[in-house]
Amino acid sequence: MAIIVQKFGGTSVADAKKILSAAHKAIGAQQAGHQVVVVVSAMGKNTDMLVDLAGQITDRPLAREMDMLLSTGEQVSVALMAMAIHSLGHKAVSLTGAQIGIKTDSSHTKARIQSISTERLGQLLDEGHIVIAAGFQGIDENFNITTLGRGGSDLTAVALAAVLRAEACEIYTDVDGVYTTDPRKIPEARRMAQISYDEMLELASLGAGVMHSRSVEFGKKFGVPIHVRSSFVDAPGTMVVAEPEASGQPVGGAALTEDEARVTVSDVPDQPGTSYAILSRIAAKNISVDMIVQNVGAEGKADISFTVLRNDLPLATEAVTEALGDLGAGTLDYDDQVSKVSAVGLGMARQTGVAHQMFRALSDAGVNVQMITTSEIKISVLVERRGAVDALRAVHQTFGLGTPPATPGPPVAASKGAAVPDALAPDALAVVTRLAGMEDLVIEGVVLDDTQARLTIADVPDRPGIAAAVFEKIAAGGLFVDMIVQSSGHQGRTILSFTVPAQDLETALGLTGEIAAEFGCGAVTSSPHVAKLSVSGVGMRSHTGVAMRMFKSLAELGINVEMINTSEVRVNVVVDGRHGQQGLACLQQAFADVLLS
Ligand code: ADP
Ligand code: ASP
Ligand code: MG
């Protein structure tokens, strides 16, 4: 009999009436012939309330006790949900994470799932029970209760769907699907019928809170069809599957991370190992960094800027201060009034001009772009927080995201009609058998592209419109731009670097020189031959150590990282072209233990 997993978020179980309504949904699915597992979150804002309560006792609660506290929210919900189902005349059993056997590592408050036993679940389902599982929690090897990180009930749901080989995982929430951007911020946003795992992953990690990004990693790794839909209206929602909604469209969605902070470390030695020295101190505190940009400055000195979540800023500055102590040089500067706006799309990699269209739209909206990083499937910019929603709107509008695509992608049956995977897909099986823990990092490949050249414009004035002008001109010249990074940090000095095919370098230099002169920028320099080294896989960003391993192994060989960008599925670094082959070999070795072959 086909299994279905239904997950109800906090607002969907906020009071007794809503719990009963969710219970009806579960019973309905059982009556339609499914075995049903229900995953529930804490009621309403219960978890926030518990966090607040802890804060009233101490500002430094032990993470273990925090988990003990937070896990109670879900325990309340499962019991009530089971009672609701009993009251409607059906069989149900509630289980905590520990009772199910969700084993995690011991990193309290952000634990990772290692394994899930299915025996007890299977038995209860076979006996005709609806199983009610507490979301967001697990247990470590010493029987300590752990939690999976805020929003982690999604993860419990998708992980259970994966191990039970469920037909689908339904995520019931307070919106009726995944929108092109957060509909509460941009009312013109449109519900998508379908979205690819990679786009959803990227959007989730860039601020689209509708799904927890690690749950989408799970979905992708194990091929679980995810159906995001409304708890309150009975209508089809959004299928998160392998294929995107529309082919040929460069951008599928946009996202905003409002509470970001920029950290800039200036005047550090421009030598291999400097970035590693700084970023490893940050990784040691388990802080995720994004938008890492390194600029080569004057007199053998470099600047490194990156962003962290604003909440992580105190810890990040502490880490940087330690690193500056190690390096014996450098200064620290930060801005905690910034937000990150991103455009995401699988089609971006194959089209020119996406970046300049975004920069132009931002410039027309009067938004000054403080930092830029791009990857194959996303462009992120850092802007002042005050204008961030306007910036998001400008991006949403310029890519026409409010309008349904003209050429829809292949249709995907909603959960009822989806094919039941009778076994995990072969590659998923390969993954599972090789992993010690289900959420472990998986690397699919390490590749070298040594066909590109890099251009850098120094001292770009810090005002709207310049990036737009540069990339419009380059696109009008018919050139393809791959990586773009810009940082504005120290004393308003902005440096813009990008890569083009090596054979187009002369043309690009001519066009860039004209723009630089027109806007009063500094010198344009270039490197005729750079090597782009890429590591791709699943969990690239949520495992903070990936970029670190790359920096470390390259630094050990004395190779300097000139540019970097990260996405959920790939980390790219640019190094001097002479080091391409050596860099490739060293990265292959560095990731040998997690490389799928
Ligand atoms: P739950 O408690 O059910 O897990 P969440 O609050 O975690 O619900 O997620 C649902 C919310 O995600 C919506 O209310 C919406 O404001 C927000 N959201 C952010 N980005 C998007 C998006 N692209 N599409 C839909 N909702 C989004
Ligand atoms: N209750 C937890 C939280 O609020 C988990 C979840 O809702 O997904 O973060
Ligand atoms: Mg959620």
Side-chain angles (χ1 to χ4, degrees):
M1 199 185 290
I3 297 177
I4 195 153
V5 176
Q6 299 186 322
K7 179 251 167 179
F8 294 90
T11 31
S12 310
V13 290
D15 55 38
K17 202 165 149 229
K18 292 195 171 119
I19 292 177
L20 279 162
S21 147
H24 276 291
K25 283 211 166 63
I27 293 167
Q30 193 184 45
Q31 287 173 337
H34 289 102
Q35 292 190 327
V36 184
V37 176
V38 176
V39 175
V40 279
S41 293
M43 293 170 69
K45 301 255 172 250
N46 202 352
T47 312
D48 291 334
M49 197 200 73
L50 294 170
V51 170
D52 184 66
L53 206 52
Q56 291 177 37
I57 305 270
T58 164
D59 23 317
R60 293 211 161 211
L62 277 185
R64 181 190 181 280
E65 303 310 330
M66 211 52 199
D67 279 351
M68 186 65 105
L69 177 68
L70 297 193
S71 63
T72 61
E74 272 68 13
Q75 196 169 333
V76 170
S77 308
V78 281
L80 293 173
M81 180 68 78
M83 290 176 198
I85 292 176
H86 299 155
S87 76
L88 296 168
H90 292 264
K91 283 163 69 172
V93 176
S94 64
L95 297 173
T96 64
Q99 288 172 327
I100 298 167
I102 299 185
K103 297 254 169 56
T104 72
D105 62 19
S106 302
S107 41
H108 285 289
T109 75
K110 32 181 127 170
R112 286 182 176 278
I113 299 179
Q114 288 177 331
S115 64
I116 302 179
S117 33
T118 52
E119 213 172 288
R120 183 160 183 197
L121 285 174
Q123 197 182 340
L124 288 167
L125 289 171
D126 288 343
E127 287 165 11
H129 290 96
I130 295 176
V131 176
I132 319 293
F136 172 59
Q137 52 179 262
I139 193 166
D140 77 359
E141 59 179 354
N142 296 319
F143 305 99
N144 295 302
I145 294 177
T146 54
T147 63
L148 308 174
R150 295 302 307 271
S153 296
D154 293 336
L155 189 59
T156 308
V158 180
L160 286 176
V163 293
L164 294 169
R165 293 168 193 184
E167 167 185 295
C169 180
E170 297 186 325
I171 305 286
Y172 285 94
T173 183
D174 60 358
V175 272
D176 61 355
V178 179
Y179 278 64
T180 47
T181 197
D182 189 343
R184 290 185 209 285
K185 300 207 170 85
I186 307 290
E188 308 89 90
R190 179 182 61 82
R191 182 179 63 80
M192 291 182 263
Q194 156 184 348
I195 182 170
S196 66
Y197 292 123
D198 284 352
E199 286 168 315
M200 188 68 243
L201 249 177
E202 209 55 50
L203 284 173
S205 101
L206 294 170
V210 62
M211 281 213 76
H212 192 288
S213 74
R214 276 161 54 203
S215 74
V216 189
E217 270 174 26
F218 241 114
K220 177 182 176 181
K221 205 145 75 173
F222 298 97
V224 181
I226 302 171
H227 188 181
V228 180
R229 56 194 305 192
S230 167
S231 275
F232 312 123
V233 240
D234 189 18
T238 302
M239 292 302 298
V240 186
V241 287
E243 309 83 17
E245 183 180 48
S247 38
Q249 189 167 298
V251 175
L256 171 64
T257 318
E258 277 194 275
D259 290 324
E260 289 267 298
R262 171 187 56 78
V263 178
T264 300
V265 191
S266 307
D267 295 327
V268 284
D270 177 25
Q271 65 197 29
T274 297
S275 309
Y276 174 68
I278 295 167
L279 297 174
S280 59
R281 284 284 191 175
I282 292 182
K285 296 195 192 287
N286 220 339
I287 302 172
S288 300
V289 296
D290 193 29
M291 296 189 79
I292 308 167
V293 179
Q294 178 170 349
N295 284 315
V296 178
E299 293 135 28
K301 296 283 170 54
D303 295 355
I304 298 160
S305 295
F306 54 86
T307 58
V308 294
L309 285 178
R310 193 178 175 202
N311 280 343
D312 287 334
L313 183 63
L315 267 184
T317 54
E318 206 177 288
V320 170
T321 308
E322 289 165 13
L324 294 183
D326 300 343
L327 292 167
T331 55
L332 163 70
D333 164 65
Y334 62 83
D335 181 353
D336 64 359
Q337 297 299 318
V338 289
S339 301
K340 179 169 66 184
V341 176
S342 309
V344 171
L346 282 185
M348 212 179 268
R350 294 181 298 278
Q351 295 199 17
T352 54
V354 182
H356 82 68
Q357 187 180 340
M358 175 157 160
F359 302 150
R360 174 55 65 202
L362 290 165
S363 158
D364 288 349
V367 177
N368 190 32
V369 170
Q370 301 183 5
M371 276 174 87
I372 304 171
T373 55
T374 65
S375 80
E376 286 73 8
I377 64 164
K378 69 122 201 274
I379 303 171
S380 292
V381 296
L382 198 70
V383 302
E384 209 186 358
R385 182 163 313 126
R386 267 191 309 176
V389 173
D390 293 337
L392 177 67
R393 183 175 301 109
V395 172
H396 192 264
Q397 210 207 328
T398 191
F399 293 116
L401 297 180
T403 319
T407 47
V412 173
S415 57
K416 280 194 193 107
V420 183
D422 51 4
L424 289 176
D427 29 341
L429 262 184
V431 173
V432 186
T433 46
R434 290 215 27 186
L435 296 183
M438 296 186 77
E439 278 198 79
D440 282 2
L441 177 69
V442 170
I443 300 293
E444 282 154 3
V446 182
V447 292
L448 163 67
D449 167 4
D450 58 0
T451 63
Q452 301 199 53
R454 173 180 55 80
L455 288 91
T456 298
I457 316 175
D459 288 321
V460 179
D462 197 8
R463 62 185 154 88
I466 301 180
V470 170
F471 295 108
E472 271 167 3
K473 188 135 190 154
I474 303 265
L479 305 190
F480 188 84
V481 174
D482 182 10
M483 279 171 76
I484 303 174
V485 300
Q486 181 197 307
S487 81
S488 78
H490 199 43
Q491 298 165 344
R493 283 187 59 222
T494 303
I495 300 185
L496 177 60
S497 294
F498 56 97
T499 62
V500 294
Q503 76 265 21
D504 294 333
L505 176 61
E506 284 310 312
T507 322
L509 273 173
L511 298 170
T512 309
E514 286 170 30
I515 291 280
E518 190 182 317
F519 284 93
C521 306
V524 178
T525 52
S526 66
S527 169
H529 176 206
V530 293
K532 175 176 158 188
L533 294 160
S534 310
V535 177
S536 56
V538 185
M540 305 299 290
R541 234 197 325 221
S542 63
H543 286 87
T544 49
V546 176
M548 230 46 56
R549 259 204 230 197
M550 296 176 77
F551 276 115
K552 179 168 191 268
S553 47
L554 292 167
E556 278 165 4
L557 289 179
I559 301 176
N560 206 11
V561 173
E562 296 178 9
M563 290 165 83
I564 170 162
N565 64 37
T566 57
S567 71
E568 285 293 332
V569 291
R570 197 161 162 139
V571 179
N572 298 311
V573 297
V574 166
V575 302
D576 188 293
R578 284 169 305 166
H579 301 311
Q581 288 299 343
Q582 194 191 9
L584 176 67
C586 115
L587 291 183
Q588 277 165 338
Q589 209 196 331
F591 289 98
D593 58 327
V594 280
L595 189 64
L596 281 187
S597 45

